[in-house]
mmCIF file of all heavy atoms in Angstrom:
data_model
loop_
_atom_site.group_PDB
_atom_site.id
_atom_site.type_symbol
_atom_site.label_atom_id
_atom_site.label_comp_id
_atom_site.label_asym_id
_atom_site.label_seq_id
_atom_site.Cartn_x
_atom_site.Cartn_y
_atom_site.Cartn_z
ATOM 1 N N ARG A 54 97.917 39.249 19.019
ATOM 2 C CA ARG A 54 98.135 40.212 17.897
ATOM 3 C C ARG A 54 99.378 39.775 17.138
ATOM 4 O O ARG A 54 100.398 39.358 17.727
ATOM 5 C CB ARG A 54 98.385 41.686 18.468
ATOM 6 C CG ARG A 54 97.079 42.227 19.052
ATOM 7 C CD ARG A 54 97.235 43.687 19.391
ATOM 8 N NE ARG A 54 95.932 44.179 19.881
ATOM 9 C CZ ARG A 54 95.792 44.872 20.999
ATOM 10 N NH1 ARG A 54 96.850 45.144 21.740
ATOM 11 N NH2 ARG A 54 94.594 45.297 21.328
ATOM 12 N N TRP A 55 99.257 39.885 15.831
ATOM 13 C CA TRP A 55 100.439 39.620 14.935
ATOM 14 C C TRP A 55 101.302 40.897 14.943
ATOM 15 O O TRP A 55 100.770 41.993 14.827
ATOM 16 C CB TRP A 55 99.949 39.329 13.542
ATOM 17 C CG TRP A 55 101.005 38.883 12.601
ATOM 18 C CD1 TRP A 55 102.025 38.006 12.811
ATOM 19 C CD2 TRP A 55 101.144 39.284 11.199
ATOM 20 N NE1 TRP A 55 102.768 37.857 11.673
ATOM 21 C CE2 TRP A 55 102.245 38.631 10.680
ATOM 22 C CE3 TRP A 55 100.386 40.192 10.406
ATOM 23 C CZ2 TRP A 55 102.680 38.824 9.377
ATOM 24 C CZ3 TRP A 55 100.828 40.341 9.092
ATOM 25 C CH2 TRP A 55 101.948 39.674 8.588
ATOM 26 N N ALA A 56 102.585 40.712 15.071
ATOM 27 C CA ALA A 56 103.479 41.848 15.067
ATOM 28 C C ALA A 56 104.864 41.452 14.512
ATOM 29 O O ALA A 56 105.050 40.291 14.181
ATOM 30 C CB ALA A 56 103.626 42.346 16.532
ATOM 31 N N ALA A 57 105.719 42.406 14.485
ATOM 32 C CA ALA A 57 107.083 42.135 13.931
ATOM 33 C C ALA A 57 108.095 43.029 14.659
ATOM 34 O O ALA A 57 107.781 44.064 15.256
ATOM 35 C CB ALA A 57 107.162 42.421 12.408
ATOM 36 N N LEU A 58 109.301 42.568 14.616
ATOM 37 C CA LEU A 58 110.449 43.376 15.015
ATOM 38 C C LEU A 58 111.173 43.734 13.715
ATOM 39 O O LEU A 58 111.526 42.880 12.923
ATOM 40 C CB LEU A 58 111.397 42.554 15.936
ATOM 41 C CG LEU A 58 112.602 43.256 16.548
ATOM 42 C CD1 LEU A 58 112.143 44.416 17.462
ATOM 43 C CD2 LEU A 58 113.436 42.309 17.350
ATOM 44 N N LEU A 59 111.374 45.017 13.541
ATOM 45 C CA LEU A 59 111.914 45.551 12.266
ATOM 46 C C LEU A 59 113.330 46.097 12.469
ATOM 47 O O LEU A 59 113.776 46.359 13.572
ATOM 48 C CB LEU A 59 111.030 46.708 11.731
ATOM 49 C CG LEU A 59 109.540 46.476 11.658
ATOM 50 C CD1 LEU A 59 108.849 47.700 11.012
ATOM 51 C CD2 LEU A 59 109.231 45.267 10.773
ATOM 52 N N SER A 60 113.999 46.240 11.322
ATOM 53 C CA SER A 60 115.280 46.949 11.322
ATOM 54 C C SER A 60 114.979 48.435 11.426
ATOM 55 O O SER A 60 113.814 48.878 11.202
ATOM 56 C CB SER A 60 116.065 46.671 10.034
ATOM 57 O OG SER A 60 115.378 47.329 8.948
ATOM 58 N N PRO A 61 115.950 49.287 11.711
ATOM 59 C CA PRO A 61 115.679 50.724 11.698
ATOM 60 C C PRO A 61 115.165 51.257 10.380
ATOM 61 O O PRO A 61 114.483 52.257 10.370
ATOM 62 C CB PRO A 61 117.068 51.346 12.039
ATOM 63 C CG PRO A 61 117.753 50.249 12.850
ATOM 64 C CD PRO A 61 117.293 48.963 12.178
ATOM 65 N N GLN A 62 115.423 50.530 9.280
ATOM 66 C CA GLN A 62 114.901 50.942 7.947
ATOM 67 C C GLN A 62 113.442 50.494 7.694
ATOM 68 O O GLN A 62 112.913 50.782 6.621
ATOM 69 C CB GLN A 62 115.815 50.372 6.858
ATOM 70 C CG GLN A 62 117.232 50.982 6.876
ATOM 71 C CD GLN A 62 118.084 50.397 8.012
ATOM 72 O OE1 GLN A 62 117.982 49.233 8.330
ATOM 73 N NE2 GLN A 62 118.965 51.172 8.585
ATOM 74 N N GLY A 63 112.890 49.788 8.655
ATOM 75 C CA GLY A 63 111.525 49.329 8.519
ATOM 76 C C GLY A 63 111.329 47.990 7.863
ATOM 77 O O GLY A 63 110.223 47.623 7.439
ATOM 78 N N LYS A 64 112.438 47.215 7.714
ATOM 79 C CA LYS A 64 112.330 45.951 7.085
ATOM 80 C C LYS A 64 112.203 44.846 8.158
ATOM 81 O O LYS A 64 112.867 44.894 9.194
ATOM 82 C CB LYS A 64 113.579 45.658 6.185
ATOM 83 C CG LYS A 64 113.590 46.664 5.033
ATOM 84 C CD LYS A 64 114.748 46.346 4.033
ATOM 85 C CE LYS A 64 114.681 47.340 2.845
ATOM 86 N NZ LYS A 64 115.743 47.025 1.878
ATOM 87 N N VAL A 65 111.410 43.829 7.850
ATOM 88 C CA VAL A 65 111.100 42.847 8.871
ATOM 89 C C VAL A 65 112.273 41.902 9.159
ATOM 90 O O VAL A 65 112.928 41.427 8.239
ATOM 91 C CB VAL A 65 109.857 42.019 8.432
ATOM 92 C CG1 VAL A 65 110.092 41.264 7.166
ATOM 93 C CG2 VAL A 65 109.417 41.049 9.540
ATOM 94 N N LEU A 66 112.548 41.717 10.434
ATOM 95 C CA LEU A 66 113.574 40.775 10.843
ATOM 96 C C LEU A 66 112.903 39.505 11.381
ATOM 97 O O LEU A 66 113.368 38.394 11.071
ATOM 98 C CB LEU A 66 114.422 41.393 11.994
ATOM 99 C CG LEU A 66 115.188 42.615 11.604
ATOM 100 C CD1 LEU A 66 115.869 43.269 12.833
ATOM 101 C CD2 LEU A 66 116.183 42.401 10.512
ATOM 102 N N PHE A 67 111.845 39.616 12.163
ATOM 103 C CA PHE A 67 111.098 38.504 12.737
ATOM 104 C C PHE A 67 109.640 38.863 12.819
ATOM 105 O O PHE A 67 109.307 40.056 13.152
ATOM 106 C CB PHE A 67 111.565 38.182 14.191
ATOM 107 C CG PHE A 67 112.980 37.940 14.327
ATOM 108 C CD1 PHE A 67 113.896 38.983 14.727
ATOM 109 C CD2 PHE A 67 113.562 36.691 14.154
ATOM 110 C CE1 PHE A 67 115.265 38.809 14.906
ATOM 111 C CE2 PHE A 67 114.966 36.490 14.283
ATOM 112 C CZ PHE A 67 115.779 37.522 14.710
ATOM 113 N N ASP A 68 108.739 37.961 12.504
ATOM 114 C CA ASP A 68 107.356 38.148 12.742
ATOM 115 C C ASP A 68 106.884 37.134 13.772
ATOM 116 O O ASP A 68 107.509 36.037 13.916
ATOM 117 C CB ASP A 68 106.491 38.088 11.485
ATOM 118 C CG ASP A 68 106.325 36.662 10.930
ATOM 119 O OD1 ASP A 68 107.337 35.989 10.733
ATOM 120 O OD2 ASP A 68 105.195 36.266 10.685
ATOM 121 N N PHE A 69 105.811 37.421 14.522
ATOM 122 C CA PHE A 69 105.390 36.529 15.591
ATOM 123 C C PHE A 69 103.982 36.959 16.019
ATOM 124 O O PHE A 69 103.474 38.023 15.605
ATOM 125 C CB PHE A 69 106.354 36.646 16.830
ATOM 126 C CG PHE A 69 106.948 37.991 17.023
ATOM 127 C CD1 PHE A 69 106.186 39.027 17.569
ATOM 128 C CD2 PHE A 69 108.228 38.292 16.603
ATOM 129 C CE1 PHE A 69 106.680 40.269 17.760
ATOM 130 C CE2 PHE A 69 108.766 39.569 16.782
ATOM 131 C CZ PHE A 69 108.017 40.577 17.377
ATOM 132 N N ILE A 70 103.355 36.116 16.842
ATOM 133 C CA ILE A 70 102.078 36.508 17.468
ATOM 134 C C ILE A 70 102.273 36.646 18.969
ATOM 135 O O ILE A 70 102.910 35.790 19.589
ATOM 136 C CB ILE A 70 101.045 35.401 17.153
ATOM 137 C CG1 ILE A 70 100.774 35.411 15.623
ATOM 138 C CG2 ILE A 70 99.738 35.622 17.891
ATOM 139 C CD1 ILE A 70 99.773 34.354 15.151
ATOM 140 N N LEU A 71 101.810 37.753 19.498
ATOM 141 C CA LEU A 71 101.947 38.076 20.900
ATOM 142 C C LEU A 71 100.678 37.735 21.642
ATOM 143 O O LEU A 71 99.548 37.961 21.161
ATOM 144 C CB LEU A 71 102.258 39.560 21.107
ATOM 145 C CG LEU A 71 103.536 40.112 20.414
ATOM 146 C CD1 LEU A 71 103.561 41.638 20.547
ATOM 147 C CD2 LEU A 71 104.768 39.492 20.997
ATOM 148 N N TRP A 72 100.884 37.122 22.838
ATOM 149 C CA TRP A 72 99.781 36.789 23.725
ATOM 150 C C TRP A 72 100.058 37.358 25.108
ATOM 151 O O TRP A 72 101.189 37.319 25.536
ATOM 152 C CB TRP A 72 99.656 35.251 23.889
ATOM 153 C CG TRP A 72 99.463 34.504 22.594
ATOM 154 C CD1 TRP A 72 100.403 34.176 21.662
ATOM 155 C CD2 TRP A 72 98.251 33.863 22.120
ATOM 156 N NE1 TRP A 72 99.911 33.461 20.645
ATOM 157 C CE2 TRP A 72 98.580 33.200 20.870
ATOM 158 C CE3 TRP A 72 96.974 33.755 22.617
ATOM 159 C CZ2 TRP A 72 97.627 32.530 20.147
ATOM 160 C CZ3 TRP A 72 96.005 33.098 21.862
ATOM 161 C CH2 TRP A 72 96.377 32.463 20.699
ATOM 162 N N GLY A 73 99.035 37.783 25.816
ATOM 163 C CA GLY A 73 99.196 38.198 27.225
ATOM 164 C C GLY A 73 98.930 37.049 28.146
ATOM 165 O O GLY A 73 98.019 36.237 27.931
ATOM 166 N N ASP A 74 99.715 36.989 29.242
ATOM 167 C CA ASP A 74 99.553 36.001 30.287
ATOM 168 C C ASP A 74 99.813 36.669 31.583
ATOM 169 O O ASP A 74 100.923 36.666 32.067
ATOM 170 C CB ASP A 74 100.443 34.785 30.050
ATOM 171 C CG ASP A 74 100.251 33.704 31.155
ATOM 172 O OD1 ASP A 74 99.102 33.619 31.691
ATOM 173 O OD2 ASP A 74 101.166 32.901 31.354
ATOM 174 N N GLY A 75 98.772 37.317 32.144
ATOM 175 C CA GLY A 75 98.998 38.160 33.334
ATOM 176 C C GLY A 75 99.911 39.313 32.969
ATOM 177 O O GLY A 75 99.650 39.972 31.961
ATOM 178 N N ASP A 76 100.905 39.532 33.774
ATOM 179 C CA ASP A 76 101.907 40.581 33.424
ATOM 180 C C ASP A 76 102.884 40.198 32.389
ATOM 181 O O ASP A 76 103.669 40.998 31.829
ATOM 182 C CB ASP A 76 102.616 41.049 34.730
ATOM 183 C CG ASP A 76 101.711 41.735 35.724
ATOM 184 O OD1 ASP A 76 100.731 42.295 35.291
ATOM 185 O OD2 ASP A 76 102.003 41.660 36.913
ATOM 186 N N ASP A 77 102.962 38.901 32.101
ATOM 187 C CA ASP A 77 103.957 38.394 31.123
ATOM 188 C C ASP A 77 103.418 38.460 29.726
ATOM 189 O O ASP A 77 102.242 38.587 29.495
ATOM 190 C CB ASP A 77 104.233 36.882 31.406
ATOM 191 C CG ASP A 77 104.933 36.676 32.755
ATOM 192 O OD1 ASP A 77 105.278 37.684 33.437
ATOM 193 O OD2 ASP A 77 105.155 35.526 33.093
ATOM 194 N N VAL A 78 104.344 38.355 28.733
ATOM 195 C CA VAL A 78 103.946 38.337 27.350
ATOM 196 C C VAL A 78 104.539 37.055 26.725
ATOM 197 O O VAL A 78 105.760 36.797 26.967
ATOM 198 C CB VAL A 78 104.434 39.544 26.514
ATOM 199 C CG1 VAL A 78 104.160 39.404 25.055
ATOM 200 C CG2 VAL A 78 103.740 40.826 27.066
ATOM 201 N N LEU A 79 103.711 36.363 26.037
ATOM 202 C CA LEU A 79 104.165 35.107 25.368
ATOM 203 C C LEU A 79 104.340 35.386 23.873
ATOM 204 O O LEU A 79 103.416 36.010 23.289
ATOM 205 C CB LEU A 79 103.211 33.981 25.562
ATOM 206 C CG LEU A 79 102.931 33.601 27.091
ATOM 207 C CD1 LEU A 79 101.862 32.522 27.170
ATOM 208 C CD2 LEU A 79 104.243 33.056 27.696
ATOM 209 N N VAL A 80 105.410 34.912 23.314
ATOM 210 C CA VAL A 80 105.775 35.226 21.889
ATOM 211 C C VAL A 80 105.667 33.871 21.163
ATOM 212 O O VAL A 80 106.523 32.979 21.368
ATOM 213 C CB VAL A 80 107.117 35.861 21.749
ATOM 214 C CG1 VAL A 80 107.387 36.182 20.278
ATOM 215 C CG2 VAL A 80 107.218 37.126 22.619
ATOM 216 N N ASP A 81 104.700 33.772 20.284
ATOM 217 C CA ASP A 81 104.447 32.571 19.433
ATOM 218 C C ASP A 81 105.257 32.834 18.139
ATOM 219 O O ASP A 81 104.938 33.649 17.301
ATOM 220 C CB ASP A 81 102.962 32.494 19.235
ATOM 221 C CG ASP A 81 102.495 31.727 18.054
ATOM 222 O OD1 ASP A 81 103.318 31.161 17.284
ATOM 223 O OD2 ASP A 81 101.225 31.645 17.851
ATOM 224 N N CYS A 82 106.447 32.165 18.038
ATOM 225 C CA CYS A 82 107.400 32.446 16.986
ATOM 226 C C CYS A 82 107.888 31.179 16.261
ATOM 227 O O CYS A 82 107.596 30.083 16.721
ATOM 228 C CB CYS A 82 108.585 33.228 17.539
ATOM 229 S SG CYS A 82 109.560 32.281 18.713
ATOM 230 N N GLU A 83 108.605 31.336 15.134
ATOM 231 C CA GLU A 83 109.247 30.238 14.480
ATOM 232 C C GLU A 83 110.215 29.548 15.397
ATOM 233 O O GLU A 83 111.110 30.223 16.043
ATOM 234 C CB GLU A 83 109.968 30.670 13.285
ATOM 235 C CG GLU A 83 109.137 31.101 12.103
ATOM 236 C CD GLU A 83 110.043 31.375 10.864
ATOM 237 O OE1 GLU A 83 110.565 32.492 10.809
ATOM 238 O OE2 GLU A 83 110.184 30.440 10.036
ATOM 239 N N ALA A 84 110.168 28.239 15.521
ATOM 240 C CA ALA A 84 111.067 27.515 16.404
ATOM 241 C C ALA A 84 112.522 27.706 15.945
ATOM 242 O O ALA A 84 113.391 27.835 16.828
ATOM 243 C CB ALA A 84 110.733 26.028 16.450
#
Side-chain angles (χ1 to χ4, degrees):
R54 291 188 176 129
W55 186 44
L58 185 62
L59 308 182
S60 71
Q62 295 75 33
K64 295 184 177 183
V65 62
L66 300 174
F67 306 94
D68 74 306
F69 35 76
I70 294 177
L71 300 174
W72 304 75
D74 183 24
D76 292 333
D77 297 354
V78 174
L79 300 174
V80 183
D81 160 359
C82 64
E83 285 186 278

